[in-house]
Amino acid sequence: MISAKSVLKALAVSLLLAASAYAASKIDLFGLESNSDRLADQVYQRITAAEYGQDRKGQQAVSVVYLDEASVEALKGFGWNRFPPTFDQQWLMLDDLLNVGGAPPAAMFMDFVYLGQGGMAEGFDGFVQGIAGATRADVWADKPGCRTDPLIKIACIVEAGGVPLIFAKPSPTDLELFTEAQAAMDRVAVLAPALVAEDAYPLITAYDFDAAKAARLGVARFDISPAMAMYAAWCLRQADGCGIAEFRDLKRRAKAALAGGEAASPTFAKVFDAPLDVVWGSRPDPAFLTMTQAVSGQPAPCRGDAVGWRERLGEQMAGLRGPGDGARQECPYTLSLGYDRLVAGHGLQPEDLERLLAGRLVMVGGHFRASSDWVESPVHGQVPGVQFHAMALDNLVEDGADYRRNGEALLDSDLLESLLVAALAFCGVLGVMTRNNLLDKAEAAGMEPRLRSAVYGPLYIALFATSIGVVAFATWLGVTVLHRSPINWIGICGVAMGFLFYATRQTLPADLTGSLERVRIVRRLLAWCRLCLNSLKFEEDRLLPVRPPPAASPQTPETTAVPESPAHAQS
């Protein structure tokens, strides 16, 4: 019968370990917990990057057109003699992207911030007029219902037959500024905060500003991120609204708003209830490889599609590859092309431009090396911010409402991880106690006073393998089924393995050496090791030599003084 006292002791030990782990995670001494959390997510993404987007659903919908140093230099031949270019040249770029694909994009995001703090520059009015024509602002801009919030505005643009154009802006919580230039663009387009956190990409950001402050900053009840804005435009063009009832309702409300009625977007808080944990893919779009070969005449230096999770797991276990390492790099997952290549057209066919632009969600941004707009990708290393927005959008198109949520925003992940540590420790203590019971049975049966390898071998293997398997299963369950960011599996494995080695610090060496001592050469080797260890023991040594106590001088009869008798006692 199982001893209740032993079970309670195992429970107490496991809870004590879990409480210590929870306290250490909250204290986050030297950033160990936060860094191990980040490392666990990065390593997991590097292992599974080739498995993302098997059907390439998001990859077939999202494109990136960029400007970099080479683009600016090449465009000098087309009149771009300074940077930033004039507003006429910028509108010409947008007009190209809207028309050269044979059909306009489904939506466009410009990852450039227009503040206009120095006043309206030459050509700005024409730039705004061009944007208004693309978004069909003449149909919806004078309808109050279409200007209630950014989501209903995007829906009105789509219903009016325009192309939603989303421009980057600073977050009103970071910079309380709303210039005349921004106000002019907000009347004909959509502005979205572009500075987002790398570890928790926001989708909908609610504000609690009063009416006066909201009007001064030009914001509604909430703002949406660039990826969310583009995804909304995409879903509003789908017959089923991407399977989300709120988007179908938004389409109906947009029709009412265009008819002059009051309208506001439905509540999306239940669908998009947490920030997005961006998942990075590694398999480049086949069209990217084809276009790169056509434009440069050389194949793209990308890793092959055949590098699956098993090879990547081996690389991570051996520590052979970090983000962006190796001669053949992880090329961008999203189909990307420099604007100068599009203008020059060298090697590109009309079908290539159609593949890049027609009906696509096009993200336009900079790849400038001198820019500060770079983020850390766990798969690619440093990437431009526009690629980060594109990957977040790809996640939404790929997974919809089942996108991977950032776990920290939903619940106390440290508590869940500590409970998992407790469960592993509880099983470990019971395993050690089981080993002791097996040893007692062996001795009672008259066997030699040690377990045979056929007994303790499976026990220890099951103990350690089960711990690793439980952590792996919990990680897979959280990511695949619950759609959460990976747990800190590295930290949990470290704590669990460390505790198991500590718990078996006496039994495991005794069992192993008991079996190995049967071999003569091993027995001699173990004896030599014990001799070396004994010679290195220092726990009872003293730095200063100990002086022996002084010896007592012996007393002999000759030297012993005999007291004289008192005079009155003498006869």
Side-chain angles (χ1 to χ4, degrees):
M1 183 176 179
I2 297 177
S3 170
K5 180 180 179 181
S6 298
V7 174
L8 290 176
K9 181 181 289 187
L11 183 62
V13 171
S14 61
L15 290 178
L16 179 61
L17 180 65
S20 302
Y22 184 72
S25 65
K26 291 304 180 185
I27 295 173
D28 197 17
L29 187 63
F30 304 121
L32 293 177
E33 168 64 17
S34 55
N35 286 329
S36 63
D37 264 331
R38 189 178 304 110
L39 180 62
D41 180 72
Q42 291 174 347
V43 174
Y44 183 88
Q45 291 223 37
R46 285 198 284 270
I47 293 173
T48 60
E51 309 303 316
Y52 172 77
Q54 292 291 335
D55 57 357
R56 299 184 185 270
K57 181 180 177 182
Q59 200 172 58
Q60 294 171 0
V62 185
S63 300
V64 171
V65 176
Y66 63 86
L67 293 171
D68 59 6
E69 287 84 357
S71 298
V72 174
E73 187 66 27
L75 289 170
K76 288 182 178 179
F78 297 89
W80 286 42
N81 298 318
R82 66 183 181 87
F83 192 87
T86 66
F87 279 105
D88 291 336
Q89 292 168 336
Q90 292 183 56
W91 169 245
L92 180 60
M93 178 179 69
L94 296 184
D95 191 50
D96 284 342
L97 300 180
L98 287 167
N99 294 292
V100 299
M108 287 175 55
F109 166 65
M110 274 59 66
D111 194 15
F112 302 111
V113 178
Y114 296 88
L115 292 179
Q117 290 176 286
M120 302 296 189
E122 182 180 356
F124 181 77
D125 292 338
F127 180 70
V128 172
Q129 290 175 7
I131 296 172
T135 62
R136 299 292 304 275
D138 59 316
V139 178
W140 59 266
D142 61 342
K143 305 295 190 299
C146 289
R147 300 177 55 83
T148 306
D149 57 63
L151 282 173
I152 196 70
K153 183 188 291 187
I154 293 173
C156 286
I157 294 174
V158 173
E159 286 297 322
V163 177
L165 298 182
I166 296 95
F167 290 86
K169 73 169 183 177
S171 171
T173 57
D174 296 331
L175 182 64
E176 294 189 0
L177 180 68
F178 192 62
T179 63
E180 293 183 13
Q182 288 179 300
M185 296 180 66
D186 187 55
R187 286 191 287 269
V188 297
V190 180
L191 303 183
L195 296 178
V196 296
E198 293 184 29
D199 55 347
Y201 189 98
L203 298 178
I204 300 177
T205 304
Y207 301 124
D208 56 357
F209 300 146
D210 56 56
K213 185 174 182 180
R216 178 167 55 86
L217 296 179
V219 298
R221 296 175 292 116
F222 60 86
D223 261 332
I224 54 177
S225 62
M228 181 63 193
M230 298 285 280
Y231 181 63
W234 174 259
C235 291
L236 289 167
R237 295 184 183 277
Q238 310 303 312
D240 64 344
C242 296
I244 299 174
E246 285 79 1
F247 280 125
R248 295 193 295 270
D249 187 18
L250 184 60
K251 293 169 69 173
R252 291 190 293 268
R253 298 190 184 199
K255 292 178 180 179
L258 287 174
E262 292 292 331
S265 61
T267 301
F268 283 83
K270 291 183 179 180
V271 181
F272 304 100
D273 54 351
L276 170 70
D277 182 35
V278 177
V279 183
W280 294 84
S282 65
R283 297 177 302 118
D285 192 317
F288 172 80
L289 304 178
T290 303
M291 292 183 189
T292 301
Q293 176 78 39
V295 172
S296 65
Q298 298 179 349
C302 304
R303 298 189 77 188
D305 289 350
V307 183
W309 70 268
R310 294 178 181 84
E311 294 84 354
R312 291 170 181 270
L313 176 61
E315 291 175 350
Q316 295 304 310
M317 292 181 66
L320 297 178
R321 191 179 185 91
D325 289 346
R328 301 189 72 80
Q329 296 292 310
E330 302 281 11
C331 287
Y333 181 82
T334 306
L335 175 59
S336 304
L337 186 69
Y339 175 63
D340 63 303
R341 285 78 159 176
L342 185 149
V343 172
H346 296 308
L348 296 177
Q349 303 300 319
E351 54 267 24
D352 294 327
L353 300 181
E354 181 181 355
R355 173 77 175 83
L356 178 72
L357 299 171
R360 305 270 292 198
L361 300 169
V362 180
M363 317 285 276
V364 184
H367 279 202
F368 297 102
R369 290 187 295 271
S371 169
S372 60
D373 186 20
W374 290 74
V375 298
E376 181 70 24
S377 163
V379 177
H380 306 85
Q382 289 287 316
V383 298
V386 67
Q387 294 287 350
F388 184 47
H389 292 298
M391 202 69 237
L393 174 58
D394 192 286
N395 286 185
L396 292 174
V397 175
E398 188 74 34
D399 300 322
D402 292 330
Y403 67 91
R404 183 184 296 178
R405 287 154 171 79
N406 182 269
E408 294 291 341
L410 291 171
L411 41 80
D412 191 346
S413 61
D414 292 332
L415 179 60
L416 293 180
E417 292 166 358
S418 299
L419 292 177
L420 181 57
V421 168
L424 294 174
F426 181 73
C427 295
V429 174
L430 293 183
V432 173
M433 292 179 177
T434 302
R435 177 264 178 197
N436 295 334
N437 282 118
L438 294 174
L439 181 60
D440 292 341
K441 289 182 179 180
E443 293 178 348
M447 297 174 59
E448 52 192 0
R450 60 172 178 255
L451 287 176
R452 296 181 181 275
S453 59
V455 177
Y456 72 75
L459 177 64
Y460 288 122
I461 291 175
L463 193 62
F464 285 89
T466 301
S467 298
I468 296 175
V470 168
V471 175
F473 177 75
T475 304
W476 174 86
L477 182 68
V479 172
T480 306
V481 179
L482 302 179
H483 309 292
R484 301 291 184 266
S485 53
I487 60 174
N488 186 359
W489 57 273
I490 292 180
I492 295 174
C493 279
V495 172
M497 292 297 103
F499 174 76
L500 289 178
F501 278 112
Y502 173 79
T504 59
R505 67 191 184 281
Q506 295 179 341
T507 60
L508 182 59
D511 290 336
L512 290 176
T513 55
S515 297
L516 296 175
E517 281 182 343
R518 298 177 180 179
V519 183
R520 183 177 181 182
I521 186 171
V522 174
R523 186 166 58 250
R524 290 184 177 181
L525 180 62
L526 291 174
W528 180 81
C529 290
R530 292 192 190 99
L531 180 63
C532 292
L533 291 175
N534 289 333
S535 65
L536 295 175
K537 282 187 174 180
F538 59 88
E539 291 83 359
E540 298 181 2
D541 292 349
R542 273 75 173 173
L543 182 62
L544 300 177
V546 179
R547 295 181 180 180
S553 56
Q555 295 183 351
T556 60
E558 292 78 6
T559 59
T560 302
V562 180
E564 297 181 356
S565 300
H568 66 271
Q570 292 179 357
S571 57

